[in-house]
Amino acid sequence: MSKKTHFHADRVEGMGMTIFSEITQLAQEYNAINLGQGFPDFDGPLEIKRIAMESIASGNNQYAPMIGAHTLRRAIARHQSRFYFHEIDPDREITVTTGATEALLSTLLAFINPGDEVIVFEPCYDSYVPVIRMAGGIPVPVTLHEPLFKFNHHELREAFSAKTKAIIINTPHNPTGTMFSQLELGFIADVCQEFDALAIMDEVYEHIGFDPAGHIQMRSLPDMKHRTITISSLGKSFSFTGWKIGWVIAPEELQIPIRNIHQYTVFSTATPFQGAAAAALDLPDSYFQQLVNMYQDKRDFLAHALSSAGLYPIIPQGAYFIMADTSEYPFPNMKSFTNWLIKEIGIACIPSTGFYLRPERAGNYVRFCFCKSNQVLETAAERLHKLQT
Ligand code: PMP
Ligand code: GLN
């Protein structure tokens, strides 16, 4: 990153390159297999790519409507109705955003005043804390405890106060793979009601869940719809992370301030991908079933390779990451383990400290992603084999 100048605003203080970019650069430098930054090394369905290509060729290249193309908003509403039995008004309750990343930014800027507290589970996705701070908010961490990465009810309740404006919940969860159960969400819902807080749900891995209980939406819980903001995106469910199509679902009164921010930050999202995104959401149930089956096989394969190498995995219930315990390896910290694995073994992973507000709570875990072709995972397994004693 560039050197600091006197022009820098205070809000960039302490911001460096993301851990994902840092590890990707290192992986490239040492020609390591990148199981660090989570993105598939394969594309989504060809028929969906064709729709995007035809859309560009047919001149669909000017600004989309500020709130998103009508076809896409209708498809998002149909998708919600098919999978979660919710009827959503595509004109009033959905905004298309530039990925879930912008959805999170617009949501926090819409609701957080300086000094407001926002609860996050740690470990957490790397953009939450900087974005809360950008909005002037104060992140309040609640730890997900290993080995199952579950929260303690008492600790969660203690974290709420009169200053709490919102809680961010990511289910299925990056980096741990935890899926929040109906009971856990019910407990959080009760506390949100008691403290009059918003529930901001990050559901980008909604279609990568292995738990038979399935993905539960907070908005379906009693009395939660009017305080729940549901964020998702196309990237993980359809293996098009580079298209950056996301969306926010919220009742009209919450949607209005989000749109106010969205219109002055990005205004609208890439036009030619919106029709293709609509077609993706309309894919038959068999597509979604195959996606889960594919990822479950990849998860089991990598988990086996890791445990054979003494890197004991916590089997994730969802998402495409595995947290692995490195305690058997004598390194002073996770960063030095990761550097060694990249340089000497040729595999990149993410030190879990990168996901913590209080890195001292990170334990000895590193995160591996398994959204890679079988061939790449097999080569990774061969390299991990070298670690067996
Ligand atoms: N939330 C989580 C938990 C993620 O893992 C990601 C993926 N990078 C995002 C949000 C951002 O999603 P998008 O690429 O749609 O902006
Ligand atoms: N979601 C991806 C991950 O967690 C990375 C996204 C990014 O590079 N910002 O690895």
Side-chain angles (χ1 to χ4, degrees):
M1 281 281 175
S2 56
K3 286 194 213 105
K4 190 170 182 235
T5 74
H6 66 286
F7 294 117
H8 285 193
D10 295 344
R11 74 175 63 83
V12 297
E13 193 60 49
M15 282 185 190
M17 188 191 279
T18 78
I19 186 72
F20 306 122
S21 309
E22 188 186 324
I23 295 292
T24 292
Q25 264 185 18
L26 210 58
Q28 282 164 354
E29 197 181 321
Y30 287 90
N31 211 10
I33 296 174
N34 192 356
L35 303 186
Q37 191 178 22
F39 60 91
D41 63 357
F42 43 85
D43 282 350
L46 181 60
E47 76 247 47
I48 304 300
K49 290 208 283 190
R50 286 217 172 100
I51 297 171
M53 289 188 274
E54 277 156 23
S55 187
I56 292 177
S58 66
N60 206 3
N61 298 305
Q62 307 309 326
Y63 293 128
M66 186 274 278
I67 61 172
H70 193 229
T71 39
L72 176 53
R73 283 182 286 109
R74 272 188 319 199
I76 294 166
R78 274 196 301 279
H79 171 270
Q80 286 288 314
S81 160
R82 170 162 54 136
F83 287 98
Y84 310 113
F85 313 107
H86 290 142
E87 296 314 314
I88 290 163
D89 181 334
D91 294 327
R92 294 187 177 79
E93 298 182 318
I94 297 172
T95 302
V96 174
T97 57
T98 302
T101 308
E102 190 246 319
L104 282 158
L105 174 69
S106 294
T107 300
L108 287 157
L109 291 180
F111 298 112
I112 302 308
N113 281 320
D116 284 347
E117 292 184 355
V118 181
I119 296 181
V120 288
F121 289 106
E122 69 173 354
C124 68
Y125 182 57
D126 78 327
S127 81
Y128 296 172
V129 168
V131 168
I132 292 167
R133 289 190 173 136
M134 268 184 237
I138 300 165
V140 176
V142 173
T143 302
L144 293 174
H145 295 283
E146 51 187 90
L148 294 178
F149 293 107
K150 296 286 179 191
F151 68 90
N152 172 296
H153 286 200
H154 175 71
E155 285 175 4
L156 180 77
R157 206 181 170 291
E158 285 292 291
F160 275 75
S161 75
K163 289 189 186 157
T164 307
K165 190 68 170 286
I167 177 167
I168 305 180
I169 303 155
N170 171 214
T171 181
H173 183 259
N174 176 8
T176 67
T178 280
M179 287 174 74
F180 284 69
S181 69
Q182 180 111 22
L183 270 177
E184 288 167 325
L185 291 179
F187 180 83
I188 301 170
D190 288 347
V191 190
C192 283
Q193 282 164 20
E194 186 184 336
F195 288 89
D196 194 21
L198 292 167
I200 302 172
M201 305 300 299
D202 176 347
E203 306 191 355
V204 297
Y205 298 100
E206 62 186 307
H207 286 295
I208 310 177
F210 316 113
D211 186 27
H215 171 65
I216 315 285
Q217 282 199 313
M218 181 66 103
R219 63 194 312 283
S220 64
L221 271 62
D223 297 326
M224 282 306 286
K225 206 172 145 187
H226 67 289
R227 60 173 74 248
T228 302
I229 295 148
T230 307
I231 291 172
S232 193
S233 69
L234 200 75
K236 330 288 170 185
S237 302
F238 301 99
S239 312
F240 291 125
T241 58
W243 288 14
K244 297 298 289 184
I245 298 285
W247 51 88
V248 185
I249 300 169
E252 186 176 13
E253 62 279 14
L254 297 181
Q255 197 65 251
I256 292 166
I258 296 172
R259 287 177 176 180
N260 288 343
I261 301 290
H262 168 77
Q263 77 177 338
Y264 291 126
T265 49
V266 298
F267 180 68
S268 69
T269 295
T271 309
F273 295 119
Q274 297 201 28
L281 288 166
D282 281 339
L283 283 169
D285 291 355
S286 56
Y287 168 80
F288 297 93
Q289 192 53 52
Q290 279 163 18
L291 185 83
V292 175
N293 294 346
M294 172 187 81
Y295 276 128
Q296 189 152 349
D297 288 347
K298 290 181 190 298
R299 175 194 73 169
D300 294 345
F301 180 84
L302 184 63
H304 179 73
L306 289 169
S307 59
S308 307
L311 286 164
Y312 296 109
I314 307 297
I315 305 298
Q317 294 172 293
Y320 45 48
F321 308 103
I322 298 186
M323 293 284 260
D325 186 355
T326 65
S327 302
E328 289 208 350
Y329 288 82
F331 285 90
N333 55 52
M334 293 305 91
K335 196 79 187 279
S336 50
F337 171 85
T338 304
N339 285 344
W340 171 79
L341 201 72
I342 293 174
K343 292 176 189 168
E344 302 300 326
I345 308 297
I347 298 179
C349 60
I350 308 278
S352 65
T353 34
F355 301 104
Y356 282 79
L357 207 66
R358 298 167 293 187
E360 67 281 5
R361 300 214 169 191
N364 293 321
Y365 289 90
V366 289
R367 189 196 79 174
F368 291 87
C369 69
F370 53 84
C371 48
K372 302 294 170 192
S373 69
N374 289 348
Q375 205 189 346
V376 166
L377 292 176
E378 277 157 25
T379 312
E382 280 163 25
R383 293 185 186 182
L384 284 169
H385 193 73
K386 285 190 245 161
L387 297 175
Q388 286 182 19
T389 45

